[in-house]
Amino acid sequence: DEYILNGTKTWISNAQFCDLALVFAYTDPGQRPKGMSCFVVESKSPGFTSRPIEEKMGLHASPTGEIILEDCRVPAGALLGNEGEGFKICMSMLENTRLSCAAGGLGLARACLDAAVEYANNRQQFGQSVARFQMIQEQIARMVVEEEAARLLVYRAAVMKDMGVPNNRETSIAKYAAAQAANHAADEAIKILGAYGYSEEYPVARYYRDAKYYQIVEGTSNIQKWIIGQDALGIRKANR
Ligand SMILES: Cc1cc2nc3c(=O)[nH]c(=O)nc-3n(C[C@H](O)[C@H](O)[C@H](O)COP(=O)(O)OP(=O)(O)OC[C@H]3O[C@@H](n4cnc5c(N)ncnc54)[C@H](O)[C@@H]3O)c2cc1C
């Protein structure tokens, strides 16, 4: 009438503040993905501890930590779905969180563009605004193109999701493109702001740190390319 959970998982958003955690654990390790189950675990359960990750590069407004389960006893009712359905539940979650992550990267790309445009129009050098320099215009133009391309890709995936159409492929494309756009935009924004890009007086240094997040979480950029590439080559269809 109960399960005993053991293991640790690091890099968990809100680990140190959560009341409930979704824990994916093997109930039948020999079955690999099909032996994985999902549990809703209360953080006050005996054997549940967490600790914060104090120092990270960015995303300072989003706490991150580690969860440690040592003979953590949970009632049988904590099982979500049936035994062996954990991997399926995890993948269905990823379908949603990956898309919202793509939207986050897109927003960051846009914020970088807005900051760079405003600064370029205001900063005077050699008797004119730096926006008048063609190289700055080229930098801004690429940021615009990449941000708009990512926006359309994110919207396409979102429309497909709203329509209930399989969209793993389109979500991976959108997430990869948005993460790339965010990172390039943050890099360019810092350059356009010159020394102020390197200071905390303007937000672009923070954007630069936060942009890396989008290339890591909800499947790294490599994982997105893996999904997209295997689909294109006919090795493994993403929208099954
Ligand atoms: C701020 C933050 C918050 C997070 N919050 C959560 C959370 O709430 N819940 C949660 O579960 N996780 C969370 N994570 C963890 C995050 O999902 C993982 O860090 C991410 O999935 C990458 O896994 P990893 O760090 O183990 O990298 P690894 O898997 O060790 O990858 C290392 C490198 O190898 C590459 N690589 C790995 N596998 C392949 C492959 N098959 N083909 C090609 N290249 C490959 C990767 O792209 C990467 O470049 C968070 C991470 C961060 C930074």
Side-chain angles (χ1 to χ4, degrees):
D1 58 351
E2 66 178 9
Y3 292 91
I4 301 173
L5 303 175
N6 278 291
T8 59
K9 172 70 177 81
T10 191
W11 293 102
I12 297 290
S13 301
N14 299 314
Q16 59 272 49
F17 299 112
C18 69
D19 296 322
L20 294 170
L22 275 187
V23 173
F24 296 90
Y26 286 111
T27 42
D28 187 354
Q31 295 286 318
R32 299 305 294 164
K34 289 189 175 156
M36 191 188 282
S37 302
C38 180
F39 299 90
V40 182
V41 180
E42 291 191 61
S43 58
K44 62 180 187 211
S45 306
F48 185 113
T49 51
S50 64
R51 61 169 166 249
I53 293 172
E54 300 287 4
E55 291 182 352
K56 59 185 198 286
M57 179 180 178
L59 230 72
H60 294 143
S62 171
T64 317
E66 184 174 21
I67 287 176
I68 304 114
L69 303 171
E70 287 169 313
D71 290 334
C72 178
R73 291 173 180 273
V74 296
L79 179 69
L80 192 65
N82 296 310
E83 275 192 17
E85 287 184 352
F87 189 72
K88 199 172 83 182
I89 294 169
C90 182
M91 288 300 114
S92 72
M93 275 171 55
L94 263 182
E95 276 176 25
N96 293 304
T97 51
R98 188 167 285 166
L99 180 55
S100 57
C101 185
L106 172 62
L108 197 143
R110 180 54 187 255
C112 292
L113 178 60
D114 290 347
V117 165
E118 188 183 354
Y119 188 88
N121 277 323
N122 288 325
R123 171 69 173 157
Q124 299 289 313
Q125 264 308 23
F126 307 106
Q128 57 187 339
S129 77
V130 298
R132 296 279 164 190
F133 299 131
Q134 282 191 349
M135 277 195 229
I136 297 284
Q137 293 164 13
E138 187 272 346
Q139 286 171 281
I140 294 288
R142 281 186 60 194
M143 290 164 77
V144 169
V145 170
E146 289 168 13
E147 189 266 331
E148 291 203 14
R151 180 170 300 278
L152 291 174
L153 290 170
V154 169
Y155 286 2
R156 176 179 69 165
V159 166
M160 290 174 76
K161 175 158 282 302
D162 280 350
M163 290 167 63
V165 176
N167 57 78
N168 286 340
R169 174 182 174 274
E170 288 72 20
T171 296
S172 281
I173 292 174
K175 202 268 186 173
Y176 175 76
Q180 291 299 103
N183 276 272
H184 184 237
D187 188 33
E188 292 299 313
I190 293 210
K191 286 188 264 181
I192 290 169
L193 268 72
Y196 283 107
Y198 203 63
S199 86
E200 297 297 334
E201 203 174 325
Y202 288 83
V204 294
R206 173 166 59 85
Y207 296 158
Y208 186 82
R209 293 192 299 270
D210 289 353
K212 297 313 290 180
Y213 170 81
Y214 296 99
Q215 290 178 323
I216 298 169
V217 297
E218 308 299 341
T220 64
S221 288
N222 269 7
I223 295 298
Q224 310 312 327
K225 286 190 283 184
W226 177 56
I227 293 167
I228 299 161
Q230 289 211 330
D231 181 90
L233 290 162
I235 296 168
R236 191 163 179 268
K237 281 289 152 200
N239 294 342
R240 290 187 301 278

